[in-house]
Amino acid sequence: MTTSTTTDIHQRSAVRHAWEEHHELILALFSGILILIAYAFEKVNVPTTAYVTLYLSAYLIGGYAKAKEGLTETYHDKTLNVELLMILAAIGAAAIGYWMEGAILIFIFALSGALETYTMNKNERALQSLMSLQPEEATRLNAEGKMEVVSLERLSVGDIVYVRPGERIPVDGTIIRGQAAIEEASITGESIPVEKQVGDTVYNSTVNMNGVLTIEMTKAADESLFQKIIHMVQNAQSEQSPSAQFIERFESRYVKIVLLVVALMMIVPHYLVGWSFETSIYRAMILLVVASPCALVASITPAALSAIAASARNGVLFKGGAHIETLGQVDTIVFDKTGTLTTGKPVVTESHYADGIDSFAVKQAVASIEAQSNHPLAQAIVTHLKTDLIEPSAFKDVTGFGIEATVSGTTYRIGKYGFHEGLADPFASMEQSLKEQGNTMVYVSNGQSIIALYALRDTIRPEAKAAITSLNSLGITTIMLTGDNPVTAAAIAKEAGLSDYVAECLPEDKVRYIKQYQTEGKTVAMVGDGINDAPALALAHVGIAMGEGTDAALETADVVLMKNDLGRLAYAVNKARKMNRVVKQNITLAISVIVLLIISNFSQFLIMPFAVVGHEGSTILVILNGLRLLQKDTPVHHVPTPFSKQGPCFTPPAA
């Protein structure tokens, strides 16, 4: 194939693509040109047939797409719609000799329709750009250890995939060889690479920045996390908000009322106020135009789709327009503690050793003994000590108390205070203070006295305090419901800056408290890990899951924060509130314009061209206003909010 032939094919393909994407706009603009030519012919006294033919051509070319859409919907749904009103208005204008006015109506209606289609296509392109991140092929290591490039459809769970630096990872899987920095923006919205090594999970569509990785595939291609995100965004774009559903139900009834009023207006004013039949019909046609709820219908859906698309790019996934609308109305957010406000992993906050002992020997012994246990506290102590290990002997796990073992001839006990009953405690003076800070104590003794103390605590997430401050500054009440003890709960709540908290909550207690808040008239969101808090997430007006790429979070909640970053919660609330403000602005503008134009029409002040421009112009304005939600939001300024309780606010659950 020659170069010129290839170029011709590419050019034809580009033209075909441009036509498919912009044909409504092209036809609308072409009809506008025909109107200008027809108007010029009319002014220079060209025969009537010539310019009427041009006007009629403008009708057909500009109105074809919307007329087809309106008639098809009317036929399938057996309901009337705004497109039908516009068709009737244009035909009515032509019937009484107002060819130019009818053609202008069709032109601007087609133009606003093309703009609305552009909005939908823009959101569709956002989804397509997301889908384009997924690789179509993978380099697989076959049974002979040789590399072969295969399509994703040919891969199955257990296959070994080879990924070079700079390539996108084609599967969800576990690293079995190599390490690299992985850019996970397609999953979490976060562009800063995350270091991954052997044993870590990696996801389809993320980018291997700098290492050679060998990955074992753990999920089928169509069940990958990335595919589930795409399905969520697709479903969210098809699910309407309550306001949009109301407008859709309202549209059919409203159109019937308009048609009835228009029919009456053609006749009644002639007898009541002495209008001529021509004036009555003309005013009826204008009423048909200005009373059409085009702008009202376009007030919500483009705005909701724009907000959902923008949020998805920032790692916040909404399962539908209903949830983003409701989140914008939330005034109370309830948090789980472990894994939500805190990291869910205990760390050693303080360590103390008795005077006169060999602290290095004690550290080595404690680390060696605790390394034999899988308990989270034991693993946290081993991580904290970071010392060489030696093999303990006479290892004994005493259920409910701790561990006893011998290292280098000395027998150590590690565990609760009761495990060291009767021994001297050199740390008694500091224990109460450590407990009030929410710490759990682990004691070490050598048979004669307690020789070491480790204070451990589940620490709050680095971004939690700023996120809670942002939410408080938005006027949202922030409450923690936790199964932890009152002392630890109070410490975490005060450190995070929460408005309130309730300790010692079982899952059923969390459900009961959410019901109580809802009974008090509050709009409640629940933030949890998507698994343990499933009942509370389901009951709340909006369930928000801390994603971290978990399938359970995607299935459980209405909203998913794809990275466990509470800062995105304040972003989501702001985006939802902004969408609700835009929708209110749009509805107010649409109704105001309709009322103003109807009053002007009855006063005989309004002429058809101005009616068309006013009505269709408002439609274009509300669509453009909705598109603003695609823009990047400015960060929320954090305003410090003091902890609202001066003392413990523990509320014991009802029996």
Side-chain angles (χ1 to χ4, degrees):
M1 186 180 293
T2 64
T3 303
S4 60
T5 305
T6 304
T7 302
D8 289 342
I9 291 173
H10 285 315
Q11 288 175 342
R12 285 196 296 271
S13 176
V15 170
R16 191 183 311 114
H17 176 74
W19 170 255
E20 290 173 355
E21 187 170 0
H22 303 296
H23 69 277
E24 282 191 43
L25 179 60
I26 294 169
L27 292 176
L29 293 176
F30 186 46
S31 72
I33 293 171
L34 290 176
I35 292 170
L36 290 175
I37 296 172
Y39 178 74
F41 280 8
E42 188 177 358
K43 291 302 177 184
V44 296
N45 297 320
V46 169
T48 303
T49 307
Y51 65 76
V52 167
T53 301
L54 288 172
Y55 282 135
L56 185 59
S57 300
Y59 270 65
L60 296 174
I61 293 171
Y64 172 77
K66 281 296 178 182
K68 180 182 177 182
E69 179 183 334
L71 293 172
T72 302
E73 286 185 12
T74 299
Y75 176 76
H76 285 299
D77 302 336
K78 303 298 186 290
T79 58
L80 303 176
N81 50 55
V82 295
E83 285 81 6
L84 192 61
L85 284 185
M86 291 299 98
I87 294 167
L88 293 175
I91 293 173
I96 59 175
Y98 289 90
W99 286 96
M100 183 186 73
E101 286 83 349
I104 292 174
L105 169 62
I106 290 294
F107 165 66
I108 301 183
F109 187 59
L111 198 60
S112 65
L115 182 59
E116 190 167 0
T117 301
Y118 168 78
T119 304
M120 305 306 177
N121 288 342
K122 192 173 180 67
N123 285 287
E124 185 64 27
R125 284 195 296 273
L127 179 60
Q128 289 174 349
S129 67
L130 186 65
M131 295 174 68
S132 69
L133 297 177
Q134 178 174 270
E136 296 180 355
E137 296 179 330
T139 302
R140 180 175 64 184
L141 297 179
N142 59 26
E144 292 78 32
K146 295 180 180 179
M147 290 187 287
E148 57 180 355
V149 177
V150 298
S151 64
L152 293 188
E153 290 76 15
R154 292 179 57 191
L155 293 175
S156 57
V157 174
D159 281 352
I160 306 301
V161 175
Y162 184 84
V163 184
R164 302 172 182 83
E167 292 183 344
R168 286 194 179 273
I169 296 172
V171 298
D172 280 14
T174 303
I175 298 175
I176 60 175
R177 192 178 306 116
Q179 61 181 31
I182 307 297
E183 189 249 83
E184 298 183 326
S186 60
I187 299 293
T188 66
E190 180 59 61
S191 59
I192 299 175
V194 179
E195 293 292 334
K196 300 273 188 174
Q197 53 192 354
V198 173
D200 287 341
T201 300
V202 291
Y203 301 105
N204 177 357
S205 81
T206 58
V207 181
N208 174 12
M209 301 296 290
N210 58 4
V212 176
L213 298 177
T214 305
I215 300 166
E216 181 180 352
M217 184 175 177
T218 56
K219 289 183 183 177
D222 59 351
E223 295 179 357
S224 70
L225 176 63
F226 187 70
Q227 278 297 322
K228 291 186 176 182
I229 291 173
I230 290 173
H231 292 153
M232 273 189 66
V233 176
Q234 287 175 325
N235 292 337
Q237 291 185 339
S238 62
E239 182 183 326
Q240 292 181 317
S241 68
S243 298
Q245 292 171 11
F246 170 77
I247 292 293
E248 191 172 87
R249 292 192 301 270
F250 165 81
E251 178 186 352
S252 178
R253 296 177 190 146
Y254 180 81
V255 169
K256 292 175 184 176
I257 293 171
V258 169
L259 288 174
L260 177 61
V261 173
V262 166
L264 292 173
M265 193 171 178
M266 288 181 179
I267 302 169
V268 173
H270 173 72
Y271 297 102
L272 286 185
V273 294
W275 288 359
S276 66
F277 276 119
E278 183 180 353
T279 300
S280 295
I281 294 172
Y282 180 66
R283 290 295 159 195
M285 292 303 101
I286 292 180
L287 179 64
L288 198 56
V289 173
V290 301
S292 174
C294 298
L296 199 56
V297 171
S299 293
I300 299 171
T301 301
L305 292 180
S306 297
I308 289 169
S311 298
R313 289 202 305 267
N314 285 276
V316 179
L317 300 181
F318 288 93
K319 286 191 175 179
H323 308 306
I324 192 169
E325 182 176 316
T326 305
L327 184 61
Q329 301 163 357
V330 162
D331 53 27
T332 302
I333 298 183
V334 174
F335 295 87
D336 173 46
K337 178 180 77 72
T338 305
T340 301
L341 288 171
T342 66
T343 60
K345 297 178 181 179
V347 296
V348 176
T349 57
E350 293 187 31
S351 58
H352 301 277
Y353 300 90
D355 295 334
I357 67 162
D358 183 351
S359 60
F360 177 79
V362 172
K363 290 177 182 178
Q364 189 173 45
V366 170
S368 299
I369 295 169
E370 293 285 63
Q372 309 303 310
S373 172
N374 290 323
H375 194 284
L377 295 181
Q379 294 299 311
I381 290 172
V382 173
T383 301
H384 170 72
L385 293 174
K386 296 178 182 177
T387 185
D388 294 334
L389 305 179
I390 54 181
E391 189 69 28
S393 60
F395 184 90
K396 183 166 61 175
D397 189 341
V398 182
T399 304
F401 287 95
I403 298 172
E404 180 179 288
T406 300
V407 177
S408 301
T410 301
T411 299
Y412 295 91
R413 282 188 169 187
I414 307 173
K416 294 180 178 179
Y417 183 80
F419 200 23
H420 314 276
E421 197 70 45
L423 299 180
D425 181 8
F427 310 112
S429 61
M430 65 179 69
E431 288 170 5
Q432 185 58 34
S433 174
L434 290 172
K435 287 179 181 178
E436 289 175 356
Q437 296 171 29
N439 289 289
T440 298
M441 256 66 73
V442 174
Y443 299 86
V444 181
S445 65
N446 60 1
Q448 299 173 358
S449 66
I450 295 175
I451 58 174
L453 168 67
Y454 297 97
L456 299 97
R457 190 177 68 181
D458 184 7
T459 57
I460 69 169
R461 294 182 175 277
E463 77 284 356
K465 187 173 182 179
I468 297 299
T469 301
S470 295
L471 293 172
N472 288 338
S473 70
L474 292 171
I476 292 174
T477 302
T478 51
I479 303 171
M480 179 177 69
L481 301 181
T482 177
D484 214 333
N485 65 77
V487 174
T488 300
I492 294 294
K494 188 170 185 178
E495 185 177 358
L498 292 160
S499 306
D500 204 348
Y501 70 90
V502 182
E504 296 183 346
C505 282
L506 298 173
E508 55 266 32
D509 295 320
K510 293 182 180 181
V511 169
R512 181 167 57 82
Y513 276 107
I514 288 176
K515 284 183 179 177
Q516 177 184 319
Y517 301 143
Q518 291 174 334
T519 303
E520 293 169 358
K522 297 175 180 176
T523 304
V524 182
M526 170 70 189
V527 186
D529 61 11
I531 306 172
N532 300 331
D533 299 304
L537 287 168
L539 177 64
H541 292 109
V542 182
I544 303 171
M546 302 289 283
E548 199 73 84
T550 62
D551 291 348
L554 292 176
E555 300 297 332
T556 305
D558 305 315
V559 183
V560 180
L561 309 179
M562 283 310 299
K563 189 178 181 185
N564 284 10
D565 181 0
L566 284 172
R568 294 169 193 263
L569 181 54
Y571 162 84
V573 171
N574 268 300
K575 179 63 76 174
R577 287 187 175 184
K578 185 174 182 181
M579 188 204 81
N580 287 348
R581 285 196 303 271
V582 166
V583 167
K584 287 178 182 177
Q585 291 166 3
N586 287 349
I587 291 174
T588 301
L589 174 64
I591 293 175
S592 299
V593 169
I594 289 173
V595 170
L596 179 62
L597 292 176
I598 288 176
I599 293 172
S600 300
N601 184 41
F602 276 104
S603 66
Q604 300 190 58
F605 170 76
L606 191 65
I607 61 174
M608 181 69 82
F610 289 163
V612 171
V613 171
H615 180 266
E616 295 304 325
S618 65
T619 304
I620 292 173
L621 284 177
V622 299
I623 294 172
L624 292 175
N625 197 33
L627 279 174
R628 291 193 300 118
L629 291 166
L630 285 171
Q631 297 173 353
K632 186 176 180 180
D633 292 314
T634 51
V636 179
H637 295 288
H638 301 312
V639 180
T641 302
F643 185 60
S644 65
K645 300 289 182 180
Q646 298 303 314
C649 58
F650 164 60
T651 307

